[in-house]
Every structure is written in C-alpha cells, then in structure tokens.
Amino acid sequence: MRSRFTAYATGAVQHIIATTHPTSPHQMTDLVRWRIDIHAFSHRTEFVSLTIHDTGIDGMQGWVRFTAELAVGDMVQPMHEHSIFYKVGQRWLYHSAVNP
C-alpha cells in the first residue's frame, strides 16, 4: 500500500500498473488510456499523508485499512479505504476496495 501511495504521489505510473491484479476492476486493456488516467490523477492531486490503521493476511489474500489525505487545489479530503490484495508469486497485487 505504501509503495502504491508513493507511486501515485510521484507519478510512477508503471508501478501502479505493475501492482494491479489482472482481475481488478481497475485493470484497463487500453494501456495508453490507463497511463493517461493515472498520470492525470497523480498530477492534479497532492498526496498529503497516509495512515495505515490495520492489515491482515488470510492465505493468498491480504487487506489494508487506511486513511489517505488527498488535496486538490485548496481542498484537503480524507479517503478511507479497506483495500484487498492478492499474492501472485512473491508480490502482493492490489485488487479492489471495500469502503468502510
């Protein structure tokens, strides 16, 4: 989760794509469009802070419950999420979120 937050904050588009699970609803077949969308989001948003509240693993599935503070212009807004990850090989890949 921390690496994805940092990737969004620094515009590391390829890291976001590489750490997204192939069956994620966020997966896009049009890689050009996906890169443009991630780049645009990363550059219009300031990633202020990340607080990890809880994590867990159950076999090949893991989860992270966190709050990220994001700013667009002068408006800072918290984003609460319960993210689901799946282990593929030696890597944990983001799948989806269940908002608290």
Side-chain angles (χ1 to χ4, degrees):
M1 186 63 240
R2 284 185 173 92
S3 75
R4 287 178 59 87
F5 180 87
T6 300
Y8 276 113
T10 61
V13 173
Q14 192 54 42
H15 182 75
I16 297 301
I17 291 170
T19 58
T20 302
H21 194 275
T23 65
S24 169
H26 302 284
Q27 186 72 248
M28 293 178 71
T29 55
D30 183 344
L31 288 177
V32 171
R33 177 83 250 155
W34 195 11
R35 285 185 183 103
I36 289 168
D37 289 352
I38 294 168
H39 177 80
F41 176 71
S42 293
H43 282 82
R44 75 172 171 264
T45 307
E46 179 184 353
F47 296 79
V48 178
S49 67
L50 174 67
T51 303
I52 305 292
H53 300 292
D54 206 1
T55 63
I57 297 173
D58 184 8
M60 302 302 275
Q61 181 178 331
W63 54 270
V64 177
R65 192 172 53 80
F66 70 91
T67 301
E69 286 193 339
L70 309 178
V72 177
D74 292 337
M75 181 179 272
V76 177
Q77 195 164 349
M79 178 183 114
H80 307 284
E81 187 171 294
H82 180 109
S83 295
I84 305 298
F85 289 80
Y86 290 105
K87 191 168 187 180
V88 177
Q90 297 301 312
R91 300 184 73 189
W92 287 98
L93 303 180
Y94 173 81
H95 185 270
S96 55
V98 178
N99 289 324

XYZ file of all heavy atoms in Angstrom:
811
model
N 0.813 -1.179 0.000
C 0.000 0.000 0.000
C 0.860 1.247 0.000
O 0.601 2.179 -0.736
C -0.925 -0.038 1.234
C -1.934 1.060 1.283
S -3.079 0.959 -0.088
C -2.797 2.494 -0.860
N 1.885 1.235 0.820
C 2.768 2.409 0.885
C 3.448 2.657 -0.456
O 3.599 3.800 -0.872
C 3.797 2.233 1.997
C 3.231 2.450 3.372
C 4.327 2.376 4.452
N 3.807 2.737 5.728
C 3.305 1.887 6.618
N 3.273 0.601 6.339
N 2.840 2.302 7.770
N 3.847 1.592 -1.134
C 4.527 1.786 -2.422
C 3.562 2.353 -3.460
O 3.953 3.178 -4.292
C 5.166 0.486 -2.920
O 4.190 -0.411 -3.420
N 2.306 1.946 -3.427
C 1.323 2.483 -4.377
C 1.008 3.946 -4.057
O 0.884 4.771 -4.959
C 0.058 1.620 -4.379
C 0.277 0.279 -5.079
C -0.940 -0.597 -5.033
N -2.116 -0.009 -5.639
C -2.440 -0.080 -6.941
N -1.636 -0.720 -7.792
N -3.551 0.465 -7.387
N 0.887 4.296 -2.771
C 0.668 5.683 -2.386
C 1.822 6.552 -2.898
O 1.604 7.593 -3.505
C 0.548 5.798 -0.862
C 0.330 7.203 -0.363
C -0.949 7.730 -0.277
C 1.397 7.994 0.033
C -1.161 9.022 0.188
C 1.208 9.276 0.488
C -0.082 9.796 0.571
N 3.052 6.085 -2.663
C 4.230 6.814 -3.123
C 4.260 6.904 -4.643
O 4.604 7.950 -5.201
C 5.517 6.142 -2.597
O 5.471 6.142 -1.167
C 6.755 6.871 -3.072
N 3.873 5.835 -5.318
C 3.853 5.848 -6.789
C 2.857 6.888 -7.307
O 3.149 7.623 -8.250
C 3.511 4.465 -7.320
N 1.678 6.941 -6.710
C 0.721 7.973 -7.106
C 1.291 9.364 -6.826
O 1.181 10.277 -7.645
C -0.616 7.800 -6.379
C -1.551 6.816 -7.032
C -1.881 5.619 -6.406
C -2.125 7.079 -8.271
C -2.761 4.716 -6.997
C -2.995 6.182 -8.868
C -3.307 5.011 -8.225
O -4.170 4.129 -8.820
N 1.901 9.534 -5.658
C 2.434 10.842 -5.257
C 3.553 11.321 -6.178
O 3.703 12.515 -6.413
C 2.926 10.785 -3.817
N 4.327 10.383 -6.702
C 5.475 10.752 -7.542
C 5.212 10.569 -9.030
O 6.096 10.815 -9.846
C 6.717 9.933 -7.145
O 6.443 8.543 -7.343
C 7.115 10.194 -5.702
N 4.020 10.107 -9.373
C 3.691 9.917 -10.785
C 4.346 8.692 -11.400
O 4.553 8.647 -12.610
N 4.651 7.679 -10.587
C 5.273 6.449 -11.080
C 4.183 5.536 -11.654
O 3.796 4.526 -11.055
C 6.057 5.760 -9.974
N 3.703 5.912 -12.816
C 2.566 5.251 -13.460
C 2.797 3.760 -13.639
O 1.917 2.944 -13.356
C 2.262 5.927 -14.813
C 1.210 5.168 -15.590
C 1.859 7.380 -14.598
N 3.970 3.371 -14.096
C 4.239 1.960 -14.372
C 4.139 1.106 -13.110
O 3.711 -0.039 -13.172
C 5.598 1.783 -15.049
C 5.811 0.394 -15.616
C 4.695 -0.053 -16.559
O 4.210 0.708 -17.396
N 4.258 -1.297 -16.418
N 4.521 1.666 -11.966
C 4.416 0.906 -10.712
C 2.950 0.629 -10.376
O 2.615 -0.475 -9.927
C 5.095 1.652 -9.567
C 5.052 0.885 -8.279
N 5.863 -0.201 -8.041
C 4.276 1.031 -7.175
C 5.590 -0.693 -6.840
N 4.637 0.038 -6.291
N 2.083 1.600 -10.596
C 0.658 1.396 -10.336
C 0.129 0.271 -11.232
O -0.567 -0.633 -10.766
C -0.143 2.694 -10.562
C 0.306 3.781 -9.580
C -1.643 2.440 -10.464
C 0.162 3.422 -8.125
N 0.473 0.321 -12.497
C 0.016 -0.713 -13.432
C 0.575 -2.079 -13.038
O -0.158 -3.068 -13.003
C 0.397 -0.330 -14.871
C -0.429 0.895 -15.311
C 0.216 -1.502 -15.832
C 0.005 1.520 -16.616
N 1.858 -2.126 -12.704
C 2.512 -3.401 -12.383
C 2.020 -4.013 -11.076
O 2.145 -5.224 -10.882
C 4.028 -3.199 -12.318
N 1.451 -3.200 -10.186
C 0.993 -3.723 -8.892
C -0.535 -3.827 -8.817
O -1.094 -3.936 -7.727
C 1.515 -2.850 -7.729
O 1.060 -1.498 -7.903
C 3.030 -2.911 -7.642
N -1.188 -3.817 -9.964
C -2.634 -4.003 -10.029
C -2.919 -5.429 -10.501
O -2.393 -5.875 -11.518
C -3.281 -2.988 -10.989
O -2.967 -1.660 -10.533
C -4.786 -3.157 -11.039
N -3.727 -6.136 -9.747
C -4.060 -7.526 -10.058
C -4.770 -7.611 -11.416
O -5.587 -6.751 -11.741
C -4.948 -8.108 -8.957
C -5.061 -9.586 -9.009
N -5.981 -10.230 -9.803
C -4.350 -10.548 -8.377
C -5.844 -11.536 -9.646
N -4.859 -11.747 -8.784
N -4.475 -8.644 -12.213
C -5.087 -8.761 -13.549
C -6.618 -8.827 -13.549
O -7.243 -8.450 -14.530
C -4.509 -10.057 -14.116
C -3.387 -10.444 -13.237
C -3.517 -9.702 -11.948
N -7.238 -9.280 -12.448
C -8.699 -9.340 -12.407
C -9.320 -8.150 -11.664
O -10.520 -8.138 -11.419
C -9.188 -10.655 -11.758
O -8.774 -10.671 -10.392
C -8.670 -11.874 -12.508
N -8.505 -7.172 -11.342
C -9.008 -5.980 -10.657
C -9.988 -5.219 -11.544
O -9.782 -5.110 -12.760
C -7.837 -5.045 -10.315
O -8.316 -3.787 -9.885
N -11.037 -4.663 -10.953
C -11.943 -3.827 -11.742
C -11.268 -2.553 -12.243
O -11.786 -1.886 -13.135
C -13.087 -3.508 -10.768
C -12.567 -3.800 -9.413
C -11.485 -4.819 -9.573
N -10.095 -2.235 -11.715
C -9.345 -1.052 -12.145
C -8.439 -1.349 -13.345
O -7.901 -0.427 -13.953
C -8.513 -0.497 -10.996
C -9.343 -0.136 -9.809
N -10.113 1.004 -9.760
C -9.559 -0.775 -8.637
C -10.754 1.053 -8.609
N -10.437 -0.022 -7.909
N -8.254 -2.605 -13.648
C -7.426 -3.022 -14.781
C -8.047 -2.502 -16.077
O -9.255 -2.591 -16.264
C -7.353 -4.553 -14.802
C -6.440 -5.166 -15.807
C -4.982 -4.989 -15.478
O -4.301 -4.278 -16.182
N -4.497 -5.608 -14.424
N -7.228 -1.946 -16.950
C -7.722 -1.451 -18.236
C -6.947 -2.133 -19.369
O -5.729 -2.265 -19.290
C -7.545 0.068 -18.340
C -8.419 0.843 -17.373
S -8.172 2.638 -17.467
C -8.919 3.008 -19.037
N -7.653 -2.547 -20.389
C -6.996 -3.180 -21.533
C -6.314 -2.130 -22.419
O -5.336 -2.431 -23.078
C -7.996 -3.992 -22.377
O -9.070 -3.155 -22.758
C -8.518 -5.186 -21.594
N -6.829 -0.919 -22.425
C -6.221 0.173 -23.185
C -5.138 0.810 -22.305
O -5.402 1.714 -21.508
C -7.293 1.203 -23.568
C -6.758 2.337 -24.411
O -5.506 2.521 -24.471
O -7.577 3.065 -24.996
N -3.895 0.310 -22.454
C -2.800 0.770 -21.600
C -2.482 2.246 -21.788
O -2.103 2.926 -20.835
C -1.552 -0.077 -21.838
C -1.610 -1.500 -21.286
C -0.336 -2.266 -21.644
C -1.821 -1.495 -19.787
N -2.631 2.748 -22.987
C -2.369 4.172 -23.231
C -3.353 5.010 -22.414
O -2.971 5.946 -21.714
C -2.441 4.510 -24.734
C -2.383 6.006 -24.960
C -1.326 3.804 -25.496
N -4.636 4.678 -22.502
C -5.673 5.405 -21.757
C -5.435 5.280 -20.254
O -5.580 6.245 -19.500
C -7.050 4.843 -22.128
C -8.196 5.448 -21.383
C -8.642 6.744 -22.018
N -8.281 7.848 -21.136
C -8.084 9.095 -21.520
N -8.200 9.427 -22.766
N -7.767 10.018 -20.665
N -5.074 4.071 -19.792
C -4.827 3.837 -18.369
C -3.666 4.696 -17.874
O -3.752 5.335 -16.823
C -4.563 2.347 -18.137
C -4.648 1.887 -16.713
C -5.123 2.576 -15.642
C -4.250 0.618 -16.217
N -5.045 1.814 -14.500
C -4.512 0.607 -14.835
C -3.705 -0.522 -16.796
C -4.238 -0.498 -14.026
C -3.443 -1.614 -15.998
C -3.697 -1.606 -14.631
N -2.581 4.723 -18.648
C -1.425 5.550 -18.268
C -1.806 7.025 -18.188
O -1.420 7.722 -17.249
C -0.282 5.353 -19.267
C 0.442 4.051 -19.104
C 1.646 3.971 -20.056
N 2.288 2.704 -19.931
C 2.168 1.704 -20.799
N 1.435 1.851 -21.891
N 2.790 0.562 -20.608
N -2.575 7.485 -19.170
C -3.012 8.891 -19.185
C -3.869 9.184 -17.954
O -3.692 10.215 -17.295
C -3.772 9.209 -20.492
C -2.790 9.220 -21.662
C -4.521 10.537 -20.394
C -3.453 9.241 -23.033
N -4.793 8.294 -17.638
C -5.675 8.493 -16.483
C -4.899 8.542 -15.168
O -5.141 9.407 -14.323
C -6.731 7.391 -16.407
C -7.787 7.483 -17.496
O -7.803 8.494 -18.243
O -8.588 6.535 -17.608
N -3.966 7.616 -14.984
C -3.155 7.595 -13.755
C -2.306 8.859 -13.676
O -2.228 9.502 -12.619
C -2.263 6.335 -13.686
C -3.116 5.076 -13.563
C -1.290 6.433 -12.502
C -2.343 3.785 -13.778
N -1.675 9.205 -14.777
C -0.823 10.409 -14.822
C -1.641 11.650 -14.454
O -1.206 12.472 -13.634
C -0.198 10.554 -16.211
C 0.630 11.776 -16.363
N 1.920 11.854 -15.903
C 0.345 12.976 -16.917
C 2.393 13.055 -16.167
N 1.458 13.762 -16.786
N -2.817 11.795 -15.045
C -3.664 12.969 -14.778
C -4.064 13.024 -13.307
O -3.983 14.084 -12.667
C -4.899 12.940 -15.674
N -4.499 11.896 -12.748
C -4.888 11.844 -11.340
C -3.706 12.200 -10.440
O -3.840 12.998 -9.506
C -5.432 10.458 -10.994
C -5.772 10.288 -9.538
C -6.861 10.940 -8.990
C -5.004 9.466 -8.731
C -7.178 10.786 -7.636
C -5.315 9.300 -7.390
C -6.399 9.964 -6.846
N -2.546 11.636 -10.730
C -1.348 11.876 -9.916
C -0.925 13.337 -9.941
O -0.445 13.860 -8.937
C -0.184 11.008 -10.398
O -0.460 9.656 -10.154
N -1.092 13.980 -11.071
C -0.614 15.360 -11.192
C -1.619 16.412 -10.727
O -1.224 17.525 -10.401
C -0.139 15.616 -12.614
C 1.219 15.028 -12.849
N 1.389 13.691 -13.150
C 2.447 15.558 -12.752
C 2.681 13.435 -13.248
N 3.349 14.547 -13.012
N -2.892 16.070 -10.658
C -3.857 17.058 -10.159
C -4.092 16.896 -8.656
O -4.748 17.720 -8.039
C -5.171 16.973 -10.917
C -6.054 15.805 -10.572
C -7.432 15.885 -11.230
N -8.146 14.661 -11.033
C -8.201 13.657 -11.888
N -7.592 13.738 -13.050
N -8.880 12.566 -11.602
N -3.532 15.834 -8.074
C -3.765 15.516 -6.670
C -2.458 15.608 -5.891
O -1.430 15.121 -6.334
C -4.329 14.083 -6.540
O -5.468 13.963 -7.392
C -4.698 13.745 -5.121
N -2.531 16.234 -4.721
C -1.396 16.215 -3.802
C -1.676 15.137 -2.761
O -2.738 15.121 -2.135
C -1.230 17.562 -3.101
C -0.082 17.569 -2.123
C 0.023 18.874 -1.345
O -0.710 19.832 -1.643
O 0.849 18.916 -0.421
N -0.761 14.229 -2.600
C -0.906 13.113 -1.671
C -0.255 13.528 -0.351
O 0.945 13.418 -0.175
C -0.289 11.852 -2.269
C -1.022 11.418 -3.515
C -0.786 12.048 -4.729
C -1.985 10.443 -3.451
C -1.493 11.687 -5.870
C -2.698 10.082 -4.581
C -2.447 10.702 -5.794
N -1.081 14.036 0.554
C -0.616 14.697 1.762
C -0.081 13.715 2.793
O 1.023 13.886 3.314
C -1.744 15.568 2.370
C -1.291 16.229 3.659
C -2.229 16.593 1.350
N -0.863 12.674 3.110
C -0.422 11.728 4.140
C -1.135 10.392 3.972
O -2.191 10.301 3.345
C -0.695 12.282 5.537
O -2.080 12.370 5.781
N -0.527 9.383 4.563
C -1.078 8.031 4.563
C -0.971 7.477 5.972
O 0.115 7.468 6.561
C -0.315 7.125 3.595
C -0.699 5.647 3.594
C -2.120 5.463 3.058
C 0.285 4.835 2.764
N -2.088 7.017 6.509
C -2.107 6.379 7.823
C -2.671 4.968 7.652
O -3.804 4.803 7.205
C -2.991 7.162 8.817
O -2.504 8.495 8.903
C -2.982 6.507 10.194
N -1.848 3.978 7.982
C -2.286 2.582 7.944
C -2.908 2.275 9.303
O -2.258 2.419 10.333
C -1.097 1.624 7.668
C -0.357 1.993 6.391
C -1.570 0.174 7.686
C -1.108 1.777 5.119
N -4.166 1.853 9.306
C -4.862 1.556 10.548
C -4.759 0.083 10.928
O -4.686 -0.243 12.111
C -6.342 1.939 10.437
C -6.552 3.374 10.145
N -6.255 4.386 11.027
C -7.014 3.992 9.030
C -6.536 5.550 10.493
N -6.999 5.338 9.283
N -4.788 -0.792 9.916
C -4.810 -2.219 10.215
C -4.458 -2.989 8.943
O -4.721 -2.519 7.834
C -6.209 -2.614 10.685
C -6.221 -3.842 11.579
O -5.136 -4.390 11.864
O -7.315 -4.263 11.971
N -3.887 -4.159 9.117
C -3.568 -5.039 7.994
C -3.859 -6.475 8.410
O -3.932 -6.787 9.596
C -2.083 -4.941 7.580
O -1.265 -5.388 8.662
C -1.689 -3.530 7.181
N -3.996 -7.330 7.420
C -4.190 -8.740 7.716
C -3.935 -9.604 6.503
O -3.973 -9.120 5.367
N -3.641 -10.865 6.760
C -3.391 -11.836 5.697
C -4.168 -13.100 6.028
O -4.162 -13.570 7.172
C -1.890 -12.173 5.569
C -1.085 -10.933 5.176
C -1.669 -13.300 4.563
C 0.419 -11.146 5.187
N -4.823 -13.635 5.002
C -5.513 -14.916 5.121
C -5.141 -15.714 3.874
O -5.768 -15.576 2.828
C -7.022 -14.711 5.220
C -7.783 -16.009 5.451
O -7.125 -17.050 5.696
O -9.014 -15.986 5.373
N -4.100 -16.509 3.986
C -3.615 -17.278 2.843
C -3.024 -16.366 1.782
O -2.086 -15.626 2.040
N -3.609 -16.412 0.589
C -3.103 -15.622 -0.533
C -3.843 -14.289 -0.682
O -3.661 -13.586 -1.655
C -3.227 -16.422 -1.834
C -2.481 -17.748 -1.801
S -0.718 -17.543 -1.465
C -0.130 -17.212 -3.108
N -4.691 -13.980 0.287
C -5.406 -12.700 0.264
C -4.981 -11.869 1.467
O -4.818 -12.388 2.564
C -6.914 -12.910 0.301
C -7.691 -11.607 0.247
C -9.199 -11.806 0.233
O -9.684 -12.813 -0.248
N -9.922 -10.851 0.756
N -4.792 -10.593 1.229
C -4.451 -9.678 2.309
C -5.297 -8.432 2.201
O -5.969 -8.208 1.194
N -5.273 -7.632 3.234
C -6.019 -6.390 3.219
C -5.293 -5.330 4.024
O -4.483 -5.638 4.896
C -7.441 -6.586 3.732
C -7.528 -7.230 5.081
C -7.611 -8.571 5.345
C -7.506 -6.583 6.345
N -7.646 -8.787 6.696
C -7.588 -7.582 7.339
C -7.421 -5.261 6.750
C -7.584 -7.293 8.698
C -7.424 -4.962 8.099
C -7.514 -5.978 9.051
N -5.585 -4.096 3.673
C -5.033 -2.932 4.360
C -6.176 -1.949 4.560
O -6.884 -1.614 3.616
C -3.917 -2.253 3.534
C -3.401 -1.007 4.233
C -2.779 -3.207 3.228
N -6.361 -1.506 5.789
C -7.340 -0.460 6.078
C -6.558 0.812 6.368
O -5.675 0.820 7.225
C -8.201 -0.860 7.279
C -9.421 0.020 7.472
C -10.343 -0.534 8.558
N -9.673 -0.791 9.813
C -9.373 0.135 10.735
N -9.693 1.384 10.537
N -8.764 -0.221 11.847
N -6.845 1.871 5.621
C -6.044 3.082 5.726
C -6.880 4.335 5.510
O -8.016 4.286 5.034
C -4.901 3.053 4.706
C -5.350 3.195 3.278
C -5.441 4.442 2.673
C -5.690 2.084 2.527
C -5.863 4.569 1.361
C -6.104 2.195 1.214
C -6.190 3.447 0.625
N -6.264 5.458 5.847
C -6.790 6.769 5.505
C -5.681 7.527 4.791
O -4.543 7.584 5.283
C -7.223 7.566 6.757
O -8.225 6.828 7.442
C -7.766 8.937 6.371
N -6.008 8.051 3.637
C -5.073 8.910 2.898
C -5.683 10.296 2.841
O -6.880 10.449 2.613
C -4.853 8.370 1.492
N -4.862 11.300 3.075
C -5.315 12.671 2.900
C -4.846 13.132 1.531
O -3.652 13.093 1.222
C -4.774 13.580 3.997
C -5.457 13.380 5.315
C -5.140 14.479 6.306
O -4.115 15.173 6.151
O -5.938 14.642 7.247
N -5.814 13.540 0.720
C -5.547 13.980 -0.647
C -6.018 15.419 -0.794
O -7.061 15.792 -0.250
C -6.277 13.093 -1.651
C -6.083 11.587 -1.504
C -6.918 10.845 -2.538
C -4.620 11.213 -1.634
N -5.260 16.197 -1.533
C -5.638 17.588 -1.763
C -5.723 17.854 -3.258
O -4.860 17.443 -4.028
C -4.620 18.530 -1.128
N -6.783 18.541 -3.626
C -6.941 19.053 -4.981
C -7.201 20.537 -4.808
O -8.207 20.928 -4.201
C -8.094 18.361 -5.738
C -8.280 18.971 -7.109
C -7.830 16.868 -5.851
N -6.268 21.339 -5.283
C -6.364 22.770 -5.026
C -6.224 23.019 -3.535
O -5.342 22.479 -2.885
N -7.126 23.818 -2.974
C -7.077 24.144 -1.543
C -7.879 23.185 -0.681
O -7.920 23.331 0.536
C -7.612 25.566 -1.322
C -6.690 26.618 -1.913
O -5.494 26.323 -2.089
O -7.178 27.732 -2.199
N -8.521 22.220 -1.295
C -9.385 21.312 -0.540
C -8.647 20.011 -0.198
O -8.245 19.262 -1.083
C -10.649 20.987 -1.338
C -11.601 20.061 -0.604
S -13.078 19.727 -1.553
C -14.063 21.097 -1.004
N -8.474 19.771 1.099
C -7.884 18.519 1.587
C -9.032 17.629 2.043
O -9.896 18.055 2.796
C -6.900 18.763 2.747
C -6.356 17.441 3.274
C -5.768 19.674 2.312
N -9.011 16.401 1.567
C -10.103 15.490 1.880
C -9.538 14.125 2.264
O -8.660 13.592 1.591
C -11.002 15.344 0.662
C -12.322 14.730 0.968
C -13.293 14.964 -0.185
O -13.050 15.729 -1.098
N -14.407 14.277 -0.121
N -10.056 13.536 3.357
C -9.606 12.190 3.714
C -10.280 11.144 2.824
O -11.426 11.301 2.414
C -10.063 12.036 5.167
C -11.229 12.949 5.298
C -10.987 14.086 4.340
N -9.534 10.120 2.507
C -10.066 8.989 1.756
C -9.852 7.752 2.630
O -8.710 7.399 2.945
C -9.315 8.830 0.433
C -9.771 7.645 -0.386
S -8.774 7.488 -1.879
C -7.958 5.945 -1.523
N -10.935 7.134 3.062
C -10.869 5.928 3.889
C -11.093 4.737 2.975
O -12.004 4.757 2.144
C -11.953 5.956 4.964
C -11.940 7.199 5.793
N -10.998 7.418 6.773
C -12.732 8.294 5.771
C -11.234 8.589 7.330
N -12.273 9.148 6.736
N -10.241 3.722 3.132
C -10.399 2.560 2.267
C -9.964 1.294 2.985
O -9.085 1.314 3.840
C -9.592 2.745 0.979
C -9.832 1.673 -0.053
C -9.194 1.995 -1.388
O -9.618 2.965 -2.042
O -8.256 1.279 -1.761
N -10.596 0.214 2.602
C -10.220 -1.136 3.014
C -9.840 -1.836 1.703
O -10.717 -2.218 0.931
C -11.413 -1.819 3.689
C -11.137 -3.201 4.154
N -11.022 -3.516 5.486
C -10.944 -4.351 3.477
C -10.792 -4.811 5.600
N -10.744 -5.338 4.400
N -8.540 -1.929 1.434
C -8.038 -2.465 0.160
C -7.794 -3.960 0.251
O -7.275 -4.458 1.253
C -6.725 -1.790 -0.229
O -6.920 -0.425 -0.475
N -8.130 -4.652 -0.819
C -7.906 -6.091 -0.926
C -6.723 -6.332 -1.867
O -6.663 -5.755 -2.958
C -9.157 -6.808 -1.479
C -10.389 -6.486 -0.618
C -8.920 -8.309 -1.611
C -10.295 -6.930 0.814
N -5.810 -7.185 -1.447
C -4.644 -7.555 -2.238
C -4.612 -9.079 -2.383
O -5.077 -9.801 -1.494
C -3.350 -7.111 -1.539
C -3.136 -5.627 -1.541
C -3.784 -4.816 -0.631
C -2.276 -5.039 -2.455
C -3.593 -3.446 -0.625
C -2.076 -3.673 -2.457
C -2.736 -2.874 -1.540
N -4.058 -9.555 -3.485
C -3.831 -10.985 -3.685
C -2.357 -11.214 -3.955
O -1.729 -10.444 -4.694
C -4.653 -11.522 -4.857
C -6.131 -11.557 -4.565
C -6.993 -10.626 -5.118
C -6.662 -12.530 -3.719
C -8.352 -10.650 -4.843
C -8.018 -12.564 -3.435
C -8.851 -11.617 -4.000
O -10.191 -11.637 -3.706
N -1.823 -12.276 -3.379
C -0.426 -12.615 -3.593
C -0.306 -13.439 -4.867
O -0.972 -14.463 -5.036
C 0.136 -13.394 -2.408
C 1.638 -13.533 -2.474
C 2.198 -14.048 -1.175
C 3.718 -14.005 -1.235
N 4.303 -14.505 0.001
N 0.539 -12.976 -5.763
C 0.822 -13.661 -7.025
C 2.330 -13.836 -7.075
O 3.070 -12.853 -7.161
C 0.317 -12.850 -8.246
C 0.686 -13.556 -9.536
C -1.186 -12.608 -8.150
N 2.781 -15.075 -6.996
C 4.222 -15.314 -6.889
C 4.704 -14.744 -5.565
O 4.175 -15.072 -4.512
N 5.658 -13.843 -5.622
C 6.194 -13.217 -4.412
C 5.670 -11.796 -4.205
O 6.131 -11.093 -3.315
C 7.732 -13.195 -4.487
C 8.358 -14.568 -4.532
C 8.001 -15.390 -3.308
O 8.102 -14.935 -2.177
N 7.558 -16.623 -3.533
N 4.719 -11.367 -5.044
C 4.240 -9.980 -4.989
C 2.785 -9.900 -4.543
O 1.975 -10.752 -4.888
C 4.351 -9.341 -6.374
C 5.781 -9.310 -6.884
C 5.870 -8.602 -8.181
N 5.691 -7.170 -7.914
C 5.536 -6.273 -8.853
N 5.516 -6.622 -10.113
N 5.385 -5.006 -8.543
N 2.479 -8.848 -3.808
C 1.100 -8.537 -3.444
C 0.573 -7.530 -4.447
O 1.169 -6.488 -4.671
C 1.040 -7.956 -2.039
C 1.268 -8.983 -0.975
C 2.432 -9.251 -0.326
C 0.305 -9.905 -0.480
N 2.249 -10.278 0.559
C 0.949 -10.702 0.492
C -1.055 -10.137 -0.747
C 0.278 -11.702 1.198
C -1.713 -11.130 -0.048
C -1.047 -11.905 0.907
N -0.557 -7.878 -5.074
C -1.152 -7.021 -6.107
C -2.505 -6.493 -5.627
O -3.340 -7.253 -5.129
C -1.321 -7.797 -7.413
C -0.047 -8.405 -7.998
C -0.373 -9.146 -9.281
C 1.010 -7.335 -8.251
N -2.701 -5.202 -5.838
C -3.955 -4.551 -5.452
C -5.084 -5.071 -6.314
O -4.975 -5.141 -7.525
C -3.824 -3.031 -5.629
C -5.112 -2.293 -5.418
C -5.556 -2.005 -4.140
C -5.878 -1.891 -6.492
C -6.752 -1.332 -3.940
C -7.072 -1.214 -6.305
C -7.502 -0.938 -5.027
O -8.675 -0.264 -4.839
N -6.202 -5.423 -5.680
C -7.357 -5.882 -6.415
C -8.483 -4.847 -6.404
O -8.905 -4.365 -7.449
C -7.870 -7.216 -5.890
C -8.980 -7.761 -6.726
N -10.309 -7.471 -6.480
C -8.954 -8.547 -7.824
C -11.045 -8.052 -7.399
N -10.259 -8.721 -8.228
N -8.971 -4.526 -5.239
C -10.129 -3.645 -5.162
C -10.257 -3.104 -3.750
O -9.475 -3.444 -2.868
C -11.405 -4.387 -5.576
O -11.564 -5.551 -4.791
N -11.289 -2.290 -3.558
C -11.508 -1.691 -2.251
C -12.942 -1.896 -1.804
O -13.862 -1.947 -2.595
C -11.219 -0.195 -2.325
N -13.064 -2.048 -0.503
C -14.363 -2.047 0.145
C -14.314 -0.841 1.089
O -13.537 -0.822 2.030
C -14.591 -3.349 0.960
C -15.920 -3.312 1.657
C -14.434 -4.561 0.068
N -15.072 0.189 0.785
C -15.027 1.381 1.628
C -15.722 1.128 2.951
O -16.772 0.501 2.988
C -15.654 2.576 0.912
C -14.785 3.055 -0.227
O -13.561 3.030 -0.114
N -15.390 3.494 -1.292
N -15.102 1.618 4.031
C -15.662 1.393 5.375
C -16.970 2.133 5.578
O -17.317 3.030 4.915
C -14.584 1.928 6.306
C -13.686 2.774 5.493
C -13.901 2.401 4.066
